[in-house]
Amino acid sequence: MVPTPSIPKAAFWMALSIASFLAMSVAGRATTAELNVFQVLELRSVIGFFILLPLVMMSGGFAAMRTQRPVAHIARNVIHYTGQAAWLYALTLIPLAVLISIEFTTPIWTAILAVTFLGERLSRPRLAAIVLGLIGVVIIVRPGVGAVDPGHLVVLGAAVCFGVSLVLVKSLTRTDSVVRIIFWMLIIQSALGLIPALYEWRNPPLELWPWILLIAFTGMSSHFCMARALAYADATVISPMDFLRVPLSALIGWLLYQEQIDAFTAGGALLILMGNLLNLQRKAPQPAKIAAS
């Protein structure tokens, strides 16, 4: 059964998703300082699978995880795994706030793809929310002021992958449960990352395990909550809500890593907040129609 569209419910699940993503950023920086990116991704997927098992059992067991759309699941997870690997690698190269800011070119790709392939409408309020958010991101990053860091290009590639992945998840929520989507994410990404992880495997030190467990939990919970949010609202509604990660990541960078917050960051964050408020004041959307193929 497709849930009744609800902006408040979408916002609630999106808030949990944002909190999970922020915690994952901190855990990702701690783990990639010691371990290979592919090993971190593999540990995240394998441990996340066992964390998800109680929900799988409550949802009907493994039999209920069967899907009629294996190709869509595989495509989504190959693209998403590529984006996640690029994102974690960039986390070792550039400040957290800059990384998250550049990542937020994702709504551009999400909006274009959602309109093209899902038949969603890019209304004026949605467009205004996206534009305000992107202007805020540009103000924070200020491209052209300094030399382009290779990490910027890596994150940009990740953003394209995330945009494609988000649209595929929205499509999957129309036929598959959230638990089933996350189940196949963890299975497929565990298989994808096994060989690259083993290539440079090293036993994690004992003090790193709390961070590994945190990135495993938030890696699962962030996507579970994101998928729940997408079940209640269009992808073009969800993406601008996610802009709040930019100012919040800047705050975390300042508190934990002494990364400074300047007037540009504050001004950009204000525009992002305005865009989100505009987006949340819209009336609940009607269920989107699937574009004719």
Side-chain angles (χ1 to χ4, degrees):
M1 182 181 296
V2 178
T4 302
S6 170
I7 294 294
K9 290 181 180 179
F12 169 76
W13 285 106
M14 200 60 207
L16 295 180
S17 178
I18 290 170
S20 295
F21 274 119
L22 291 172
M24 186 171 62
S25 299
V26 176
R29 176 164 285 185
T31 51
T32 53
E34 299 280 343
L35 303 176
N36 178 274
V37 166
F38 295 108
Q39 183 177 348
V40 172
L41 286 174
E42 186 67 14
L43 287 168
R44 190 196 72 166
S45 295
V46 173
I47 297 173
F49 174 79
F50 288 101
I51 294 174
L52 185 70
L53 273 182
L55 281 177
V56 172
M57 296 300 106
M58 291 171 58
S59 301
F62 293 114
M65 297 299 106
R66 294 174 182 169
T67 179
Q68 300 299 315
R69 303 179 64 187
V71 174
H73 281 281
I74 292 171
R76 183 257 164 168
N77 283 292
V78 169
I79 293 168
H80 183 259
Y81 183 86
T82 302
Q84 279 290 295
W87 187 88
L88 274 174
Y89 176 60
L91 194 60
T92 68
L93 301 176
I94 56 179
L96 179 60
V98 175
L99 178 143
I100 300 297
S101 298
I102 297 175
E103 179 192 342
F104 275 95
T105 57
T106 295
I108 297 176
W109 313 110
T110 301
I112 293 172
L113 292 166
V115 170
T116 304
F117 295 106
L118 299 181
E120 296 185 5
R121 292 179 59 253
L122 189 59
S123 63
R124 289 182 180 178
R126 291 180 184 178
L127 181 60
I130 290 173
V131 170
L132 283 173
L134 288 176
I135 291 174
V137 169
V138 170
I139 290 173
I140 293 172
V141 178
R142 302 190 298 281
V145 174
V148 176
D149 191 295
H152 297 172
L153 299 179
V154 174
V155 179
L156 185 60
V160 175
C161 292
F162 293 153
V164 177
S165 174
L166 190 61
V167 171
L168 287 172
V169 170
K170 175 60 181 179
S171 176
L172 285 167
T173 60
R174 294 173 174 174
T175 56
D176 289 2
S177 69
V178 172
V179 174
R180 187 184 299 163
I181 292 170
I182 305 304
F183 174 85
W184 285 111
M185 180 189 82
L186 297 172
I187 291 290
I188 294 170
Q189 294 195 17
S190 293
L192 285 173
L194 181 60
I195 293 177
L198 291 177
Y199 185 72
E200 294 187 19
W201 185 274
R202 64 178 293 253
N203 293 327
L206 184 62
E207 64 271 14
L208 200 61
W209 276 103
W211 292 114
I212 292 172
L213 293 174
L214 179 60
I215 198 172
F217 177 78
T218 54
M220 183 273 294
S221 64
S222 59
H223 294 284
F224 178 86
C225 295
M226 174 76 79
R228 290 289 294 169
L230 285 166
Y232 286 108
D234 288 346
T236 45
V237 175
I238 293 302
S239 291
M241 293 182 195
D242 206 21
F243 277 127
L244 285 172
R245 270 199 291 149
V246 178
L248 291 175
S249 66
L251 178 61
I252 289 174
W254 175 66
L255 290 173
L256 299 184
Y257 310 115
Q258 291 74 54
E259 297 171 0
Q260 296 302 309
I261 300 176
D262 55 21
F264 291 99
T265 302
L270 180 60
L271 285 177
I272 292 166
L273 179 59
M274 289 172 59
N276 277 277
L277 291 175
L278 176 62
N279 192 55
L280 290 172
Q281 288 174 355
R282 297 176 59 254
K283 292 182 179 179
Q286 296 299 316
K289 296 179 181 178
I290 301 176
S293 58

